Amino acid sequence: MDMTGWQAGRIGQDTGRPAAEGLFRDFAQALRYWRARRGYSQLRLSAESGISQRHISFLESGRSQPSRELILRLGNALDMPLRQRNAMLLAAGFAPAYRERSLTDPELAAVRRALDFMLTQQAPYPALVVDRLWNLVMLNQPARRLMGWLLNLAPGQALPTEGVNVIRLMLDAHGIRPCLPNWQEVCADLLHWVQREAMADGPGSEATRLLESLLALPGVRQAARAVNPDSHALPFMTVTLHKGDTELRLFTTIATMGTPRDVTVHELRIESFFPADAGTAAWFQAQVCPDGASA
């Protein structure tokens, strides 16, 4: 199978560059954006941050310039993602406060071991680790086997862990979409995650570019508009996979790392798949292999 089509959609996770892009002209614009994003009045932000309303007004108008410590306090009060706190610091002329290490960095070895453990424990069911833009970082063997089967990969042709955007893989007509009878419902749910990141990052960001590229896929924009999220009877959305005589029904959980101080760690998502019915559970049990190890 030609994998170049859906691999080309990978955006983000570039190495060797700062942990945040300068998405704002200056600090005042960044502060106004994030206060509005959180729906805070200047009075509410003053109460949350311990900074006077008058000073916040001066900061937003550009009449006052912030210190590094004040920016970090505001970032905490506004519950901003670490990447966006770095962006606000950059907008004010300061260096980023939070590093963005590679997961292969020796300082993140304990994180890598924890992820390996969680992926292995999820067997015989699939599990993935993705970044905030759903670029694939790690996956366990059940996930690798499932994707290889759905994508008709040739024997010995492994799904790469680099260059794959999981959402594009699901929604691209050359990816898993032909195996998704309820792909429109899945589409609306997946786009929600990217839209949330795009709203947080603002215009011109990596998340915005990813969203635009996904909406440009044939049928995706129309599918997202057609779904009525209030019409479902189940308490969770199932992902239905159909190939040949096999139909699998799965639901997912998403976990994050606690108390992160690194941009990479803060943005990791562990998506675990569980069977929604006994037939799906039996199918995965039959696929068990002795190692069950993660990639």
Side-chain angles (χ1 to χ4, degrees), residues 1-7 136 139-162 164 169 174-176 179 243:
M1 177 176 179
D2 179 10
M3 294 185 286
T4 57
W6 42 262
Q7 279 189 272
L136 185 62
L139 73 168
N140 66 3
Q141 287 295 348
R144 189 181 294 278
R145 288 194 299 270
L146 176 65
M147 290 188 180
W149 174 66
L150 293 171
L151 294 168
N152 296 314
L153 298 185
Q157 185 182 14
L159 180 78
T161 52
E162 292 291 331
V164 175
L169 176 62
H174 300 288
I176 294 176
C179 300
K243 184 179 178 184

Side-chain angles (χ1 to χ4, degrees), residues 81-98:
L82 301 188
R83 179 178 297 275
Q84 301 308 321
R85 298 184 200 193
N86 279 346
M88 186 176 277
L89 285 163
L90 287 169
F94 295 103
Y98 303 96

Side-chain angles (χ1 to χ4, degrees), residues 115-127 139-145 284 287-295:
L115 294 172
D116 275 325
F117 179 82
M118 286 186 279
L119 292 179
T120 301
Q121 293 300 307
Q122 182 63 13
Y125 307 123
L139 73 168
N140 66 3
Q141 287 295 348
R144 189 181 294 278
R145 288 194 299 270
F284 279 102
Q287 310 302 313
V288 171
C289 68
D291 57 13
S294 64

Side-chain angles (χ1 to χ4, degrees), residues 25-85:
R25 290 191 311 272
D26 51 36
F27 169 79
Q29 183 192 34
L31 179 57
R32 290 194 303 270
Y33 176 86
W34 273 98
R35 183 173 62 78
R37 179 80 178 87
R38 290 293 182 245
Y40 281 13
S41 65
Q42 289 182 349
L43 182 60
R44 169 76 182 277
L45 180 55
S46 173
E48 295 289 341
S49 65
I51 301 167
S52 73
Q53 182 180 355
R54 177 183 175 85
H55 193 32
I56 290 172
S57 176
F58 280 15
L59 289 169
E60 290 192 355
S61 67
R63 295 174 64 184
S64 293
Q65 296 303 311
S67 67
R68 180 183 177 87
E69 292 71 22
L70 183 143
I71 294 173
L72 293 175
R73 192 195 307 179
L74 287 168
N76 186 61
L78 291 166
D79 192 26
M80 293 169 57
L82 301 188
R83 179 178 297 275
Q84 301 308 321
R85 298 184 200 193

